[in-house]
Amino acid sequence: MIAEAMLRAPRLPDELQAWLAQGWLRGTDGALAALLAEDGGETDLTVLLLSALVSRQVGDGHTRLDLAALLDNPALFWPEPPDLSVSEPVGAQRSGAMTPPQWLQQRSLEQLCASLEKSAVVEVVTDTADAAVDSELGDTPLVLAGHRLYLRRYWTNEQIIQRSLRQRLDTPVVTVPGLGPLLDTLFPREDKKPDWQRVACALASRSPFTLITGGPGTGKTRTVLRLLGLLQAQRLDTDPQAPLRIRLAAPTGKAAARLSESISGEIDALPLPEPVRAAIPREVSTLHRLLGPRPGSRRFRHDRHNPLHADLVVVDEASMIDQELTARLLDALRPETRLVLLGDKDQLASVEAGAVLGELCEGADAGHYTADTVAWVNENSGDDISAWQGNGTPLQQQIVKLRESRRFRGDGGIGAFAEAVRTGDFRQADALLDGDDPSIGRLALSASDAPALEQACARGYRHYLQTLRATRSAGDDWEATRVWARGVLQALAQYQVLAAVRQGPLGVVQLNPRIARQLKHEGLIERDHGWFEGRPVMVTRNDYELGLMNGDVGICLNTRLPGEAEPRLRVAFELPDPGIRLFLPSRLEAVESVFAMTVHKSQGSEFQEVLVVLPQPGLSQSGRELLYTAVTRARERSVIAAPPFGE
């Protein structure tokens, strides 16, 4: 609800107060406008409305307001009509019932820019200005660059990112000595078509910045592991006493654990000398831990004044990184530090503002490699990528899309369905869901089909609960308890219900207790609320004292440790180091049941099977990214609980 005090801010024009009351703008958007009016002395309705709109854009995950796009189609900025039944505050007027889109359609781009340029709360910069990194120290809350309006914080972040990438991309190309033989060792050639993993390593070896993107199963982790081996082998060949200082990171604890597990399991199999393998790190940290968070602040211990001590930084699951964290990472790197980003550009972007990976990967499908890049790749890796030649930017020369999935086949199943969703071919998506392929299917249920939906959701959890009972360790032997807990956690990870939203009848908040009640009804758990054996939980906030990260999943078990007379409920987590750990429930301050989790929370995870519950059949662009992300969390089977998309 919009605070009445804010609505009655004496300096806010009546039109803006009415639009706030009618739901065209959110309370937080109006609060910014009220602040500019009260503290900044702003009275121009145009400036106040645009400030509220740029705030709304940030809330929707965007880092700026494009004024030209706004005027071209104002309705795009309000995809859902507001609730006009909301009563207006005393003193507010309807302004002739004119809506913000109608009001904007009476203005030109020149008029909007002129109002902003005259305002004391707006700094005007040129599009080509090489803004100082300290632009956050400016004294205006808004920045106008051409026809794009920013909150200063996001403008500053954009400048940090652009400057850091430009520094790296302007570095002259360097060819690693002996690159061809090293690539032949790491990627034995199988045929004449381009090996994109090999191409990615070749291009990454020549520049301080590389971005490797690709869908599930395309080998991003395999590629970067061989890249680490290639670069470390080259360094040790020239200076055996000074191996590369390599740091590996991921946005969440879960993603970090998965990357650590993948790398640790493959290092020993690399066809490289033992000293090289030994110099490849196995530990992966979260980005926040890598940068060193300062309590009570958005800042980190490592920044441009105290950069990371690293020669190479690799970040996995980069689609989950927002603009703010990307800027903080780049600000903490020395100009000569190599940076490699890995991620799927088609996955959901971060919950926070700024889909950095998606923006950087524009044009990645087509390649856009220049003739010089094509010639360099052919000469140094032997791969012919001339079919992807174009007049690309310097950034596009360092972006590689891995194009062959070894997990999903392209002619059907999960892979074909994900591609149909990615491209918006919903007719094909419906045909695949209603076909006879066992790896993809539809469950035509809705919130009104409560019993059937609950039974369908609970079906996949029977296995881990049966495993819990059948393999329970007897006595107080710690090693047996550890093996039992790991087996139950592995069984739990085979299946997951994914929801698009948190709230509503098909959101995780309601699905979790509904699934628990169904499992209790089937006699698989003794209770359906509070703490009970078999309850799966997810950590919702980093706890550095316990070593638990946001997104870590555990299972509540009745355990008896050495010396205890009776078993006690403890929550088991499997962590990268030291493995299985048990915590009393009273020590876990920020956890929630996770029979169902949001698709956002599932990023960085894999399951044998997923059941995706959608609240509605229609899919916007963000809905397509969400569904693509959801179905590709499964290795073997994805089921979609939704009516046909074409309805």
PDB file of all heavy atoms in Angstrom, residues 405-440:
ATOM      1  N   SER A 405      25.076 -29.973 -27.959  1.00  0.00           N
ATOM      2  CA  SER A 405      24.735 -30.508 -26.644  1.00  0.00           C
ATOM      3  C   SER A 405      25.001 -32.001 -26.602  1.00  0.00           C
ATOM      4  O   SER A 405      24.540 -32.749 -27.465  1.00  0.00           O
ATOM      5  CB  SER A 405      23.262 -30.236 -26.317  1.00  0.00           C
ATOM      6  OG  SER A 405      22.915 -30.833 -25.075  1.00  0.00           O
ATOM      7  N   ARG A 406      25.751 -32.416 -25.611  1.00  0.00           N
ATOM      8  CA  ARG A 406      26.003 -33.842 -25.409  1.00  0.00           C
ATOM      9  C   ARG A 406      25.016 -34.443 -24.416  1.00  0.00           C
ATOM     10  O   ARG A 406      25.079 -35.628 -24.135  1.00  0.00           O
ATOM     11  CB  ARG A 406      27.440 -34.046 -24.924  1.00  0.00           C
ATOM     12  CG  ARG A 406      28.474 -33.756 -26.012  1.00  0.00           C
ATOM     13  CD  ARG A 406      29.880 -33.671 -25.456  1.00  0.00           C
ATOM     14  NE  ARG A 406      30.881 -33.618 -26.516  1.00  0.00           N
ATOM     15  CZ  ARG A 406      31.185 -32.532 -27.218  1.00  0.00           C
ATOM     16  NH1 ARG A 406      30.538 -31.410 -26.975  1.00  0.00           N
ATOM     17  NH2 ARG A 406      32.129 -32.562 -28.156  1.00  0.00           N
ATOM     18  N   ARG A 407      24.150 -33.609 -23.862  1.00  0.00           N
ATOM     19  CA  ARG A 407      23.148 -34.105 -22.924  1.00  0.00           C
ATOM     20  C   ARG A 407      21.807 -34.316 -23.603  1.00  0.00           C
ATOM     21  O   ARG A 407      21.109 -35.288 -23.350  1.00  0.00           O
ATOM     22  CB  ARG A 407      22.974 -33.116 -21.759  1.00  0.00           C
ATOM     23  CG  ARG A 407      22.024 -33.628 -20.681  1.00  0.00           C
ATOM     24  CD  ARG A 407      21.719 -32.557 -19.643  1.00  0.00           C
ATOM     25  NE  ARG A 407      22.931 -31.961 -19.114  1.00  0.00           N
ATOM     26  CZ  ARG A 407      22.934 -30.859 -18.377  1.00  0.00           C
ATOM     27  NH1 ARG A 407      21.796 -30.232 -18.105  1.00  0.00           N
ATOM     28  NH2 ARG A 407      24.062 -30.363 -17.919  1.00  0.00           N
ATOM     29  N   PHE A 408      21.415 -33.363 -24.471  1.00  0.00           N
ATOM     30  CA  PHE A 408      20.113 -33.446 -25.130  1.00  0.00           C
ATOM     31  C   PHE A 408      20.308 -33.587 -26.630  1.00  0.00           C
ATOM     32  O   PHE A 408      21.125 -32.885 -27.228  1.00  0.00           O
ATOM     33  CB  PHE A 408      19.288 -32.183 -24.866  1.00  0.00           C
ATOM     34  CG  PHE A 408      19.079 -31.882 -23.410  1.00  0.00           C
ATOM     35  CD1 PHE A 408      19.345 -30.617 -22.908  1.00  0.00           C
ATOM     36  CD2 PHE A 408      18.618 -32.850 -22.541  1.00  0.00           C
ATOM     37  CE1 PHE A 408      19.152 -30.326 -21.573  1.00  0.00           C
ATOM     38  CE2 PHE A 408      18.414 -32.574 -21.200  1.00  0.00           C
ATOM     39  CZ  PHE A 408      18.688 -31.306 -20.710  1.00  0.00           C
ATOM     40  N   ARG A 409      19.528 -34.458 -27.229  1.00  0.00           N
ATOM     41  CA  ARG A 409      19.560 -34.557 -28.682  1.00  0.00           C
ATOM     42  C   ARG A 409      18.742 -33.400 -29.264  1.00  0.00           C
ATOM     43  O   ARG A 409      17.856 -32.851 -28.623  1.00  0.00           O
ATOM     44  CB  ARG A 409      19.010 -35.905 -29.145  1.00  0.00           C
ATOM     45  CG  ARG A 409      17.520 -36.109 -28.926  1.00  0.00           C
ATOM     46  CD  ARG A 409      17.099 -37.506 -29.344  1.00  0.00           C
ATOM     47  NE  ARG A 409      15.663 -37.611 -29.519  1.00  0.00           N
ATOM     48  CZ  ARG A 409      14.810 -37.843 -28.556  1.00  0.00           C
ATOM     49  NH1 ARG A 409      15.253 -37.985 -27.305  1.00  0.00           N
ATOM     50  NH2 ARG A 409      13.511 -37.930 -28.795  1.00  0.00           N
ATOM     51  N   GLY A 410      19.036 -33.020 -30.483  1.00  0.00           N
ATOM     52  CA  GLY A 410      18.388 -31.861 -31.069  1.00  0.00           C
ATOM     53  C   GLY A 410      17.076 -32.139 -31.770  1.00  0.00           C
ATOM     54  O   GLY A 410      16.339 -31.211 -32.087  1.00  0.00           O
ATOM     55  N   ASP A 411      16.766 -33.419 -32.024  1.00  0.00           N
ATOM     56  CA  ASP A 411      15.586 -33.714 -32.828  1.00  0.00           C
ATOM     57  C   ASP A 411      14.367 -34.068 -31.995  1.00  0.00           C
ATOM     58  O   ASP A 411      13.329 -34.460 -32.530  1.00  0.00           O
ATOM     59  CB  ASP A 411      15.892 -34.869 -33.795  1.00  0.00           C
ATOM     60  CG  ASP A 411      16.289 -36.146 -33.047  1.00  0.00           C
ATOM     61  OD1 ASP A 411      16.592 -36.060 -31.838  1.00  0.00           O
ATOM     62  OD2 ASP A 411      16.298 -37.217 -33.681  1.00  0.00           O
ATOM     63  N   GLY A 412      14.443 -33.954 -30.692  1.00  0.00           N
ATOM     64  CA  GLY A 412      13.285 -34.273 -29.860  1.00  0.00           C
ATOM     65  C   GLY A 412      13.609 -34.127 -28.396  1.00  0.00           C
ATOM     66  O   GLY A 412      14.723 -33.745 -28.005  1.00  0.00           O
ATOM     67  N   GLY A 413      12.617 -34.441 -27.549  1.00  0.00           N
ATOM     68  CA  GLY A 413      12.831 -34.434 -26.118  1.00  0.00           C
ATOM     69  C   GLY A 413      13.076 -33.059 -25.543  1.00  0.00           C
ATOM     70  O   GLY A 413      12.645 -32.031 -26.075  1.00  0.00           O
ATOM     71  N   ILE A 414      13.806 -33.032 -24.425  1.00  0.00           N
ATOM     72  CA  ILE A 414      14.035 -31.783 -23.689  1.00  0.00           C
ATOM     73  C   ILE A 414      14.764 -30.764 -24.554  1.00  0.00           C
ATOM     74  O   ILE A 414      14.430 -29.577 -24.556  1.00  0.00           O
ATOM     75  CB  ILE A 414      14.823 -32.064 -22.397  1.00  0.00           C
ATOM     76  CG1 ILE A 414      13.993 -32.949 -21.457  1.00  0.00           C
ATOM     77  CG2 ILE A 414      15.201 -30.774 -21.699  1.00  0.00           C
ATOM     78  CD1 ILE A 414      14.745 -33.416 -20.224  1.00  0.00           C
ATOM     79  N   GLY A 415      15.772 -31.210 -25.301  1.00  0.00           N
ATOM     80  CA  GLY A 415      16.550 -30.277 -26.107  1.00  0.00           C
ATOM     81  C   GLY A 415      15.708 -29.579 -27.154  1.00  0.00           C
ATOM     82  O   GLY A 415      15.787 -28.355 -27.318  1.00  0.00           O
ATOM     83  N   ALA A 416      14.882 -30.329 -27.886  1.00  0.00           N
ATOM     84  CA  ALA A 416      14.033 -29.728 -28.918  1.00  0.00           C
ATOM     85  C   ALA A 416      12.973 -28.825 -28.298  1.00  0.00           C
ATOM     86  O   ALA A 416      12.651 -27.758 -28.839  1.00  0.00           O
ATOM     87  CB  ALA A 416      13.371 -30.824 -29.753  1.00  0.00           C
ATOM     88  N   PHE A 417      12.413 -29.234 -27.153  1.00  0.00           N
ATOM     89  CA  PHE A 417      11.414 -28.401 -26.488  1.00  0.00           C
ATOM     90  C   PHE A 417      12.040 -27.088 -26.009  1.00  0.00           C
ATOM     91  O   PHE A 417      11.467 -26.013 -26.190  1.00  0.00           O
ATOM     92  CB  PHE A 417      10.802 -29.149 -25.303  1.00  0.00           C
ATOM     93  CG  PHE A 417       9.800 -28.335 -24.533  1.00  0.00           C
ATOM     94  CD1 PHE A 417       8.502 -28.173 -25.005  1.00  0.00           C
ATOM     95  CD2 PHE A 417      10.145 -27.717 -23.342  1.00  0.00           C
ATOM     96  CE1 PHE A 417       7.580 -27.407 -24.311  1.00  0.00           C
ATOM     97  CE2 PHE A 417       9.239 -26.958 -22.636  1.00  0.00           C
ATOM     98  CZ  PHE A 417       7.946 -26.805 -23.126  1.00  0.00           C
ATOM     99  N   ALA A 418      13.230 -27.170 -25.412  1.00  0.00           N
ATOM    100  CA  ALA A 418      13.904 -25.958 -24.944  1.00  0.00           C
ATOM    101  C   ALA A 418      14.189 -25.011 -26.103  1.00  0.00           C
ATOM    102  O   ALA A 418      14.036 -23.785 -25.975  1.00  0.00           O
ATOM    103  CB  ALA A 418      15.198 -26.328 -24.221  1.00  0.00           C
ATOM    104  N   GLU A 419      14.594 -25.545 -27.245  1.00  0.00           N
ATOM    105  CA  GLU A 419      14.869 -24.697 -28.409  1.00  0.00           C
ATOM    106  C   GLU A 419      13.588 -24.066 -28.931  1.00  0.00           C
ATOM    107  O   GLU A 419      13.584 -22.883 -29.331  1.00  0.00           O
ATOM    108  CB  GLU A 419      15.540 -25.526 -29.501  1.00  0.00           C
ATOM    109  CG  GLU A 419      15.914 -24.743 -30.756  1.00  0.00           C
ATOM    110  CD  GLU A 419      16.937 -23.648 -30.504  1.00  0.00           C
ATOM    111  OE1 GLU A 419      17.574 -23.641 -29.433  1.00  0.00           O
ATOM    112  OE2 GLU A 419      17.095 -22.787 -31.397  1.00  0.00           O
ATOM    113  N   ALA A 420      12.479 -24.816 -28.918  1.00  0.00           N
ATOM    114  CA  ALA A 420      11.197 -24.251 -29.355  1.00  0.00           C
ATOM    115  C   ALA A 420      10.764 -23.121 -28.438  1.00  0.00           C
ATOM    116  O   ALA A 420      10.256 -22.088 -28.890  1.00  0.00           O
ATOM    117  CB  ALA A 420      10.126 -25.346 -29.396  1.00  0.00           C
ATOM    118  N   VAL A 421      10.953 -23.283 -27.140  1.00  0.00           N
ATOM    119  CA  VAL A 421      10.618 -22.223 -26.183  1.00  0.00           C
ATOM    120  C   VAL A 421      11.531 -21.025 -26.393  1.00  0.00           C
ATOM    121  O   VAL A 421      11.089 -19.868 -26.396  1.00  0.00           O
ATOM    122  CB  VAL A 421      10.725 -22.754 -24.741  1.00  0.00           C
ATOM    123  CG1 VAL A 421      10.623 -21.616 -23.730  1.00  0.00           C
ATOM    124  CG2 VAL A 421       9.634 -23.786 -24.467  1.00  0.00           C
ATOM    125  N   ARG A 422      12.820 -21.277 -26.577  1.00  0.00           N
ATOM    126  CA  ARG A 422      13.788 -20.182 -26.744  1.00  0.00           C
ATOM    127  C   ARG A 422      13.453 -19.318 -27.948  1.00  0.00           C
ATOM    128  O   ARG A 422      13.563 -18.084 -27.893  1.00  0.00           O
ATOM    129  CB  ARG A 422      15.200 -20.760 -26.893  1.00  0.00           C
ATOM    130  CG  ARG A 422      16.306 -19.722 -26.900  1.00  0.00           C
ATOM    131  CD  ARG A 422      17.662 -20.358 -27.144  1.00  0.00           C
ATOM    132  NE  ARG A 422      17.843 -20.736 -28.526  1.00  0.00           N
ATOM    133  CZ  ARG A 422      18.263 -19.885 -29.478  1.00  0.00           C
ATOM    134  NH1 ARG A 422      18.507 -18.624 -29.194  1.00  0.00           N
ATOM    135  NH2 ARG A 422      18.429 -20.309 -30.711  1.00  0.00           N
ATOM    136  N   THR A 423      13.006 -19.943 -29.027  1.00  0.00           N
ATOM    137  CA  THR A 423      12.714 -19.202 -30.255  1.00  0.00           C
ATOM    138  C   THR A 423      11.258 -18.744 -30.341  1.00  0.00           C
ATOM    139  O   THR A 423      10.883 -18.089 -31.308  1.00  0.00           O
ATOM    140  CB  THR A 423      13.041 -20.069 -31.483  1.00  0.00           C
ATOM    141  OG1 THR A 423      12.273 -21.286 -31.422  1.00  0.00           O
ATOM    142  CG2 THR A 423      14.526 -20.409 -31.511  1.00  0.00           C
ATOM    143  N   GLY A 424      10.435 -19.109 -29.352  1.00  0.00           N
ATOM    144  CA  GLY A 424       9.035 -18.692 -29.357  1.00  0.00           C
ATOM    145  C   GLY A 424       8.147 -19.508 -30.272  1.00  0.00           C
ATOM    146  O   GLY A 424       7.053 -19.048 -30.638  1.00  0.00           O
ATOM    147  N   ASP A 425       8.564 -20.716 -30.633  1.00  0.00           N
ATOM    148  CA  ASP A 425       7.759 -21.580 -31.492  1.00  0.00           C
ATOM    149  C   ASP A 425       6.836 -22.427 -30.605  1.00  0.00           C
ATOM    150  O   ASP A 425       7.088 -23.604 -30.339  1.00  0.00           O
ATOM    151  CB  ASP A 425       8.667 -22.485 -32.331  1.00  0.00           C
ATOM    152  CG  ASP A 425       7.900 -23.289 -33.386  1.00  0.00           C
ATOM    153  OD1 ASP A 425       6.655 -23.299 -33.338  1.00  0.00           O
ATOM    154  OD2 ASP A 425       8.556 -23.921 -34.237  1.00  0.00           O
ATOM    155  N   PHE A 426       5.723 -21.827 -30.165  1.00  0.00           N
ATOM    156  CA  PHE A 426       4.862 -22.502 -29.196  1.00  0.00           C
ATOM    157  C   PHE A 426       4.042 -23.627 -29.829  1.00  0.00           C
ATOM    158  O   PHE A 426       3.624 -24.555 -29.140  1.00  0.00           O
ATOM    159  CB  PHE A 426       3.945 -21.480 -28.516  1.00  0.00           C
ATOM    160  CG  PHE A 426       4.712 -20.457 -27.722  1.00  0.00           C
ATOM    161  CD1 PHE A 426       4.559 -19.105 -27.959  1.00  0.00           C
ATOM    162  CD2 PHE A 426       5.612 -20.862 -26.754  1.00  0.00           C
ATOM    163  CE1 PHE A 426       5.277 -18.173 -27.238  1.00  0.00           C
ATOM    164  CE2 PHE A 426       6.347 -19.942 -26.021  1.00  0.00           C
ATOM    165  CZ  PHE A 426       6.174 -18.591 -26.265  1.00  0.00           C
ATOM    166  N   ARG A 427       3.807 -23.556 -31.129  1.00  0.00           N
ATOM    167  CA  ARG A 427       3.124 -24.662 -31.788  1.00  0.00           C
ATOM    168  C   ARG A 427       3.982 -25.929 -31.701  1.00  0.00           C
ATOM    169  O   ARG A 427       3.483 -27.019 -31.394  1.00  0.00           O
ATOM    170  CB  ARG A 427       2.829 -24.318 -33.242  1.00  0.00           C
ATOM    171  CG  ARG A 427       2.144 -25.438 -34.014  1.00  0.00           C
ATOM    172  CD  ARG A 427       1.781 -24.994 -35.421  1.00  0.00           C
ATOM    173  NE  ARG A 427       0.817 -23.880 -35.406  1.00  0.00           N
ATOM    174  CZ  ARG A 427       0.344 -23.296 -36.502  1.00  0.00           C
ATOM    175  NH1 ARG A 427       0.739 -23.715 -37.694  1.00  0.00           N
ATOM    176  NH2 ARG A 427      -0.512 -22.306 -36.409  1.00  0.00           N
ATOM    177  N   GLN A 428       5.276 -25.780 -31.965  1.00  0.00           N
ATOM    178  CA  GLN A 428       6.184 -26.914 -31.849  1.00  0.00           C
ATOM    179  C   GLN A 428       6.308 -27.362 -30.396  1.00  0.00           C
ATOM    180  O   GLN A 428       6.355 -28.574 -30.111  1.00  0.00           O
ATOM    181  CB  GLN A 428       7.566 -26.539 -32.402  1.00  0.00           C
ATOM    182  CG  GLN A 428       8.650 -27.584 -32.190  1.00  0.00           C
ATOM    183  CD  GLN A 428       8.421 -28.857 -32.997  1.00  0.00           C
ATOM    184  OE1 GLN A 428       7.464 -28.961 -33.754  1.00  0.00           O
ATOM    185  NE2 GLN A 428       9.294 -29.842 -32.819  1.00  0.00           N
ATOM    186  N   ALA A 429       6.349 -26.410 -29.468  1.00  0.00           N
ATOM    187  CA  ALA A 429       6.445 -26.759 -28.053  1.00  0.00           C
ATOM    188  C   ALA A 429       5.240 -27.583 -27.616  1.00  0.00           C
ATOM    189  O   ALA A 429       5.381 -28.597 -26.910  1.00  0.00           O
ATOM    190  CB  ALA A 429       6.564 -25.489 -27.205  1.00  0.00           C
ATOM    191  N   ASP A 430       4.038 -27.170 -28.026  1.00  0.00           N
ATOM    192  CA  ASP A 430       2.830 -27.924 -27.685  1.00  0.00           C
ATOM    193  C   ASP A 430       2.870 -29.322 -28.293  1.00  0.00           C
ATOM    194  O   ASP A 430       2.493 -30.312 -27.652  1.00  0.00           O
ATOM    195  CB  ASP A 430       1.583 -27.177 -28.178  1.00  0.00           C
ATOM    196  CG  ASP A 430       1.132 -26.092 -27.217  1.00  0.00           C
ATOM    197  OD1 ASP A 430       1.319 -26.275 -26.000  1.00  0.00           O
ATOM    198  OD2 ASP A 430       0.576 -25.082 -27.675  1.00  0.00           O
ATOM    199  N   ALA A 431       3.326 -29.417 -29.538  1.00  0.00           N
ATOM    200  CA  ALA A 431       3.382 -30.723 -30.205  1.00  0.00           C
ATOM    201  C   ALA A 431       4.332 -31.670 -29.474  1.00  0.00           C
ATOM    202  O   ALA A 431       4.042 -32.866 -29.315  1.00  0.00           O
ATOM    203  CB  ALA A 431       3.818 -30.548 -31.657  1.00  0.00           C
ATOM    204  N   LEU A 432       5.444 -31.158 -29.011  1.00  0.00           N
ATOM    205  CA  LEU A 432       6.396 -31.993 -28.288  1.00  0.00           C
ATOM    206  C   LEU A 432       5.831 -32.445 -26.942  1.00  0.00           C
ATOM    207  O   LEU A 432       6.002 -33.598 -26.538  1.00  0.00           O
ATOM    208  CB  LEU A 432       7.709 -31.229 -28.084  1.00  0.00           C
ATOM    209  CG  LEU A 432       8.557 -31.030 -29.344  1.00  0.00           C
ATOM    210  CD1 LEU A 432       9.605 -29.951 -29.124  1.00  0.00           C
ATOM    211  CD2 LEU A 432       9.231 -32.348 -29.733  1.00  0.00           C
ATOM    212  N   LEU A 433       5.156 -31.529 -26.236  1.00  0.00           N
ATOM    213  CA  LEU A 433       4.583 -31.885 -24.937  1.00  0.00           C
ATOM    214  C   LEU A 433       3.510 -32.955 -25.075  1.00  0.00           C
ATOM    215  O   LEU A 433       3.349 -33.809 -24.192  1.00  0.00           O
ATOM    216  CB  LEU A 433       3.994 -30.651 -24.261  1.00  0.00           C
ATOM    217  CG  LEU A 433       4.973 -29.636 -23.669  1.00  0.00           C
ATOM    218  CD1 LEU A 433       4.218 -28.481 -23.040  1.00  0.00           C
ATOM    219  CD2 LEU A 433       5.881 -30.287 -22.632  1.00  0.00           C
ATOM    220  N   ASP A 434       2.759 -32.906 -26.173  1.00  0.00           N
ATOM    221  CA  ASP A 434       1.653 -33.847 -26.361  1.00  0.00           C
ATOM    222  C   ASP A 434       2.053 -35.063 -27.193  1.00  0.00           C
ATOM    223  O   ASP A 434       1.198 -35.872 -27.564  1.00  0.00           O
ATOM    224  CB  ASP A 434       0.473 -33.126 -27.023  1.00  0.00           C
ATOM    225  CG  ASP A 434      -0.065 -32.001 -26.149  1.00  0.00           C
ATOM    226  OD1 ASP A 434      -0.045 -32.161 -24.913  1.00  0.00           O
ATOM    227  OD2 ASP A 434      -0.488 -30.961 -26.699  1.00  0.00           O
ATOM    228  N   GLY A 435       3.349 -35.181 -27.487  1.00  0.00           N
ATOM    229  CA  GLY A 435       3.823 -36.327 -28.256  1.00  0.00           C
ATOM    230  C   GLY A 435       4.104 -37.524 -27.357  1.00  0.00           C
ATOM    231  O   GLY A 435       3.699 -37.578 -26.193  1.00  0.00           O
ATOM    232  N   ASP A 436       4.844 -38.477 -27.884  1.00  0.00           N
ATOM    233  CA  ASP A 436       5.088 -39.726 -27.155  1.00  0.00           C
ATOM    234  C   ASP A 436       6.528 -39.856 -26.670  1.00  0.00           C
ATOM    235  O   ASP A 436       6.958 -40.937 -26.271  1.00  0.00           O
ATOM    236  CB  ASP A 436       4.734 -40.928 -28.027  1.00  0.00           C
ATOM    237  CG  ASP A 436       5.480 -40.923 -29.361  1.00  0.00           C
ATOM    238  OD1 ASP A 436       6.325 -40.028 -29.568  1.00  0.00           O
ATOM    239  OD2 ASP A 436       5.204 -41.812 -30.194  1.00  0.00           O
ATOM    240  N   ASP A 437       7.296 -38.750 -26.690  1.00  0.00           N
ATOM    241  CA  ASP A 437       8.668 -38.796 -26.196  1.00  0.00           C
ATOM    242  C   ASP A 437       8.651 -38.879 -24.670  1.00  0.00           C
ATOM    243  O   ASP A 437       8.077 -38.010 -24.007  1.00  0.00           O
ATOM    244  CB  ASP A 437       9.438 -37.542 -26.635  1.00  0.00           C
ATOM    245  CG  ASP A 437      10.933 -37.689 -26.412  1.00  0.00           C
ATOM    246  OD1 ASP A 437      11.333 -38.000 -25.277  1.00  0.00           O
ATOM    247  OD2 ASP A 437      11.701 -37.488 -27.369  1.00  0.00           O
ATOM    248  N   PRO A 438       9.267 -39.892 -24.067  1.00  0.00           N
ATOM    249  CA  PRO A 438       9.189 -40.059 -22.612  1.00  0.00           C
ATOM    250  C   PRO A 438       9.951 -39.010 -21.815  1.00  0.00           C
ATOM    251  O   PRO A 438       9.745 -38.882 -20.603  1.00  0.00           O
ATOM    252  CB  PRO A 438       9.800 -41.455 -22.386  1.00  0.00           C
ATOM    253  CG  PRO A 438      10.696 -41.666 -23.565  1.00  0.00           C
ATOM    254  CD  PRO A 438      10.022 -40.983 -24.721  1.00  0.00           C
ATOM    255  N   SER A 439      10.825 -38.229 -22.457  1.00  0.00           N
ATOM    256  CA  SER A 439      11.625 -37.260 -21.709  1.00  0.00           C
ATOM    257  C   SER A 439      10.930 -35.916 -21.526  1.00  0.00           C
ATOM    258  O   SER A 439      11.415 -35.074 -20.770  1.00  0.00           O
ATOM    259  CB  SER A 439      12.974 -37.040 -22.407  1.00  0.00           C
ATOM    260  OG  SER A 439      12.795 -36.389 -23.654  1.00  0.00           O
ATOM    261  N   ILE A 440       9.805 -35.699 -22.195  1.00  0.00           N
ATOM    262  CA  ILE A 440       9.095 -34.421 -22.090  1.00  0.00           C
ATOM    263  C   ILE A 440       7.598 -34.698 -22.139  1.00  0.00           C
ATOM    264  O   ILE A 440       7.138 -35.556 -22.896  1.00  0.00           O
ATOM    265  CB  ILE A 440       9.516 -33.444 -23.222  1.00  0.00           C
ATOM    266  CG1 ILE A 440       8.990 -32.042 -22.965  1.00  0.00           C
ATOM    267  CG2 ILE A 440       9.118 -33.958 -24.578  1.00  0.00           C
ATOM    268  CD1 ILE A 440       9.794 -31.273 -21.956  1.00  0.00           C
TER     269      ILE A 440
END
